[in-house]
């Protein structure tokens, strides 16, 4: 397996507050890896540290073997990290087409942009139906699809997904996870943060469990689902 993304003893602070306390993890090419943990465990901070939104005080973040720990976010994006943040953060006044074009900001060739847009419409047919509709008028599920499609327009090596099911009606959540699986089957590597630990572990090849900024467990998705501690703390079982 080729290691695409690797964190080694990463420590990240917000002022005097230490959010990550020596995180080490890896994401191999073609994997879905999920981060499981309660609110405040450090999951979102881990993604922000990878994408350069926050900087590690200690440790290293490597993409394809290159140290990106202190590379500016726009350069990290151009190098192959696409981050779909919590809350989707689409551009509400831009149309679906325009949002997707923004996602391809690092692509110069118009034929490549057109090809990638068609790929997104195959994966997200609902977006093709809404192509000229403003992002802010889409439903929550459609906005999540748009956020994911926009990120994929950059042709990333690793897709970071932060809480893709947050705020969605239960009937839509399963569909979002099916889309994540489909994206992975198309060859995209995914690092997933998700409160719905059960569904995340069901689709993940591997996972890490975070508690107060530390990794306390790691293993395959199947093994973590069988772990008594995980079942009690995150799957609602006693």
């Amino acid at each position: 397996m080729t290691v695409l993304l690797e964190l080694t003893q990463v420590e990240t602070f917000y002022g005097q507050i230490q959010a990550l306390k020596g995180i080490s993890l890896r994401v191999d090419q073609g994997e879905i890896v999920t981060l499981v943990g309660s609110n405040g465990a450090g999951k979102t901070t881990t993604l922000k540290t990878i994408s350069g939104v926050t900087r590690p005080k200690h440790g290293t973040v490597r993409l394809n073997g290159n140290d990106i720990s202190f590379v500016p976010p726009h350069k990290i994006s151009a190098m192959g990290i696409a981050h779909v943040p919590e809350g989707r953060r689409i551009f509400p006044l831009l149309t679906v087409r325009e949002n997707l074009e923004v996602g391809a900001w690092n692509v110069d060739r118009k034929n490549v942009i057109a090809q990638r847009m068609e790929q997104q419409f195959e994966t997200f047919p609902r977006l093709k139906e809404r192509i000229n509709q403003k992002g802010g008028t889409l439903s929550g599920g459609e906005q999540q699809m748009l956020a994911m499609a926009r990120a994929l327009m950059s042709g990333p090596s690793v897709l970071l997904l932060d809480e893709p099911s947050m705020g969605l009606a239960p009937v839509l959540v399963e569909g979002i996870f099916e889309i994540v699986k489909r994206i992975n089957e198309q060859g995209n590597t995914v690092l997933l943060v998700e409160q719905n630990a059960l569904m995340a572990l069901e689709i993940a090849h591997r996972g890490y469990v975070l508690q107060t900024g530390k990794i306390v467990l790691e293993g395959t998705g199947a093994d973590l689902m069988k772990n008594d501690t995980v079942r009690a703390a995150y799957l609602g079982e006693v």
Side-chain angles (χ1 to χ4, degrees), residues 137-210:
T137 67
L138 302 178
S139 70
E142 290 166 348
Q143 288 188 16
Q144 185 61 56
M145 293 177 195
L146 179 56
M148 294 162 72
R150 181 183 62 185
L152 290 167
M153 286 292 293
S154 66
S157 300
V158 182
L159 180 67
L160 309 181
L161 291 177
D162 196 352
E163 303 284 6
S165 75
M166 178 176 283
L168 300 185
V171 68
L172 298 176
V173 171
E174 190 170 339
I176 287 295
F177 280 96
E178 285 299 319
I179 289 171
V180 175
K181 282 177 60 178
R182 196 182 319 151
I183 288 171
N184 177 247
E185 289 165 359
Q186 292 168 353
N188 296 287
T189 302
V190 179
L191 179 57
L192 170 66
V193 162
E194 178 55 56
Q195 281 287 340
N196 191 327
L198 176 60
M199 297 195 77
L201 290 172
E202 281 181 345
I203 68 169
H205 298 95
R206 293 187 303 107
Y208 295 87
V209 178
L210 274 68

Side-chain angles (χ1 to χ4, degrees), residues 36-37 195-198 201-202 209 211 216-217 220-238:
V36 175
Q195 281 287 340
N196 191 327
L198 176 60
L201 290 172
E202 281 181 345
V209 178
Q211 287 183 3
V216 295
L217 285 170
T220 66
D223 285 345
L224 289 176
M225 286 181 67
K226 298 173 187 174
N227 182 281
D228 289 341
T229 301
V230 174
R231 294 171 74 89
Y234 306 109
L235 305 185
E237 300 183 12
V238 179

Side-chain angles (χ1 to χ4, degrees), residues 4-144:
L4 285 186
L5 178 67
E6 187 171 25
L7 278 65
T8 305
Q9 293 296 312
V10 168
E11 299 181 12
T12 300
F13 288 73
Y14 294 113
Q16 299 298 313
I17 299 172
Q18 187 170 4
L20 300 183
K21 303 172 183 176
I23 295 286
S24 294
L25 61 83
R26 77 175 201 280
V27 181
D28 295 338
Q29 186 171 7
E31 283 190 309
I32 299 175
V33 174
T34 189
L35 305 182
V36 175
S38 59
N39 287 332
K43 306 185 303 297
T44 292
T45 300
T46 299
L47 298 192
K48 287 182 175 180
T49 302
I50 293 167
S51 63
V53 177
T54 60
R55 300 290 180 88
K57 189 169 184 178
H58 302 289
T60 56
V61 180
R62 289 187 175 86
L63 177 65
N64 288 315
N66 298 308
D67 189 344
I68 61 170
S69 307
F70 297 97
V71 174
H74 69 283
K75 291 187 177 180
I76 290 176
S77 175
M79 291 171 72
I81 296 287
H83 188 174
V84 181
E86 182 181 336
R88 300 180 275 277
R89 308 286 181 86
I90 61 152
F91 296 103
L93 299 181
L94 299 185
T95 65
V96 167
R97 179 191 293 277
E98 290 166 341
N99 267 275
L100 294 178
E101 289 172 344
V102 169
W105 68 273
N106 61 329
V107 183
D108 294 328
R109 295 165 57 188
K110 290 184 178 179
N111 64 319
V112 174
I113 295 174
Q115 181 183 13
R116 288 183 183 172
M117 194 171 293
E118 281 306 311
Q119 289 172 347
Q120 301 320 311
F121 289 148
E122 289 178 14
T123 304
F124 306 95
R126 186 74 61 84
L127 295 183
K128 189 168 187 178
E129 299 171 10
R130 306 281 194 269
I131 186 169
N132 294 315
Q133 194 169 322
K134 288 188 177 180
T137 67
L138 302 178
S139 70
E142 290 166 348
Q143 288 188 16
Q144 185 61 56

